[in-house]
Amino acid sequence: MPFDLHQLAAFNAVVAAGSLGRAADAMHVTQSALSRIVRRLEGQVGAPLFERHSKGMQLTDIGLTLLPHSTALLRDAESAKEEIRALLGLAKGTIRVGTVGSIACLILPTALTRTCNRWPTLQVQVVEGVWDRLASALLSREIDLALGAHTDDTDEIVSVPDCRWEDTSYVVASTSHPLRSRPGLSLADTLAYKWAILPRGTEPFEHMNQLFTRHRLSMPDVTVETRSITVLKNLIAHSEFLGWMPEPMYHAELRAGLLDRLPIPGASDTRMLTAFRRTQGLLPLPAAKLLNELRQLTNGVPLR
């Protein structure tokens, strides 16, 4: 079933606005004209896409099914136009990349700097988050490249085999933390303090859980769970909270003398990192340029 991109854009606008009136204002058309566009799309689909109420528009099951496909088609069309115009020298291309926090703190800025120096007309959009957020953004075409911990390929997302590297996570604390003066420091000693880490269900949380299990210890008192890397680092650097994070994530704080790992024997974990892309379709040219810089930077060398 062929779709009209103008009709899909109108459909998405109504979803985003929640009503025909607000969507019409956003698209600079009359409400009656927008209503006709939506009804033509409903006629093509063969079913209502919205339930119309006095307070707005609510998606039907058919509308909910169409929405992710409509969003993907519109993004693909926009990406195609953008790349063609960029190749013709008429517009800037856009790198759309997602990354976990440790990569966002060190290797990605370096790769982006090198890429933008080579191609100064490129623009960049970065999404930072844990893997579930990045996978969702990759599938919805919000991003074209995701950087994170290596995991098994799926039918929809695959890793890039020649772009892999490692980082190592440690128990971290402020440079003035009381545990630094304790002789013969062990992982068990950290159980007396509060912790701040990424939330349950994320890869770093699970890795820390495995670390304590290996040492036959129960999990510590995790008082703060947050997806904000900024909150984590500042809380640990300026209090007696402990944390668990890869060294590239706190590289700047380490150099500033605010954070460092605790000297605990066996309290570390190394993971493989890689780039991911969608299984189907070509990698957009701006993302391919960034990927080439990442390949040259990593080249199988651990980042520790």
Side-chain angles (χ1 to χ4, degrees):
M1 177 189 298
F3 285 104
D4 182 300
L5 292 177
H6 182 57
Q7 292 178 355
L8 293 179
F11 167 71
N12 278 36
V14 175
V15 174
S19 75
L20 276 172
R22 289 190 293 270
D25 289 342
M27 296 187 71
H28 306 292
V29 298
T30 64
Q31 184 170 332
S32 59
L34 181 58
S35 180
R36 286 194 295 271
I37 295 171
V38 172
R39 289 192 182 280
R40 281 198 293 271
L41 179 58
E42 290 178 322
Q44 182 180 359
V45 171
L49 299 173
F50 295 97
E51 293 178 356
R52 292 155 172 84
H53 304 285
S54 59
K55 295 184 179 180
M57 309 272 279
Q58 183 176 346
L59 285 170
T60 63
D61 289 343
I62 300 297
L64 286 169
T65 300
L66 176 62
L67 182 59
H69 300 288
S70 173
T71 302
L73 287 168
L74 290 169
R75 282 182 175 156
D76 280 348
E78 185 60 32
S79 294
K81 288 190 293 184
E82 187 179 73
E83 286 193 44
I84 291 169
R85 288 175 64 82
L87 288 171
L88 294 174
L90 301 175
K92 302 174 182 177
T94 302
I95 298 170
R96 297 181 176 88
V97 59
T99 178
V100 296
S102 62
I103 301 174
C105 294
L106 185 59
I107 189 170
L108 180 60
T110 304
L112 286 173
T113 299
R114 290 173 52 161
T115 305
C116 291
N117 284 342
R118 288 175 182 262
W119 293 279
T121 61
L122 288 177
Q123 294 182 322
V124 180
Q125 294 177 3
V126 179
V127 172
E128 183 180 346
V130 293
W131 177 244
D132 56 351
R133 168 72 174 98
L134 301 184
S136 175
L138 198 56
L139 292 177
S140 68
R141 290 173 168 76
E142 180 184 354
I143 59 175
D144 299 310
L145 203 61
L147 310 177
H150 183 264
T151 187
D152 293 336
D153 292 348
T154 69
D155 292 340
E156 299 173 302
I157 297 176
V158 294
S159 61
V160 179
D162 58 347
C163 183
R164 293 182 179 175
W165 66 103
E166 294 179 346
D167 68 15
T168 302
S169 294
Y170 301 96
V171 177
V172 297
S174 69
T175 50
S176 59
H177 198 282
L179 283 177
R180 296 194 181 279
S181 61
R182 182 169 300 185
L185 185 62
S186 69
L187 190 61
D189 294 324
T190 68
L191 295 175
Y193 290 86
K194 296 182 183 299
W195 284 66
I197 61 174
L198 288 164
R200 299 167 199 273
T202 64
E203 183 205 31
F205 189 101
E206 297 307 318
H207 279 185
M208 195 185 83
N209 191 10
Q210 293 168 15
L211 171 70
F212 277 82
T213 300
R214 287 200 304 270
H215 285 255
R216 298 184 178 181
L217 296 170
S218 59
M219 277 287 282
D221 178 11
V222 178
T223 304
V224 177
E225 295 183 31
T226 177
R227 291 176 183 265
S228 171
I229 304 303
T230 302
V231 169
L232 280 179
K233 293 194 293 186
N234 279 283
L235 184 59
I236 296 167
H238 301 292
S239 73
E240 293 186 0
F241 274 85
L242 300 176
W244 171 258
M245 59 182 67
E247 188 168 330
M249 187 181 291
Y250 62 93
H251 179 73
E253 289 75 15
L254 176 63
R255 295 184 63 181
L258 297 173
L259 275 182
D260 200 358
R261 65 187 184 186
L262 287 175
I264 303 174
S268 64
D269 188 70
T270 299
R271 62 179 181 172
M272 179 74 71
L273 300 167
T274 188
F276 296 88
R277 52 168 296 176
R278 290 182 292 274
T279 304
Q280 300 297 323
L282 297 174
L283 188 65
L285 185 59
K289 293 182 184 298
L290 174 62
L291 181 59
N292 286 336
E293 293 298 331
L294 286 167
R295 286 188 177 111
Q296 293 179 36
L297 274 173
T298 56
N299 197 27
V301 178
L303 295 178
R304 301 179 185 173

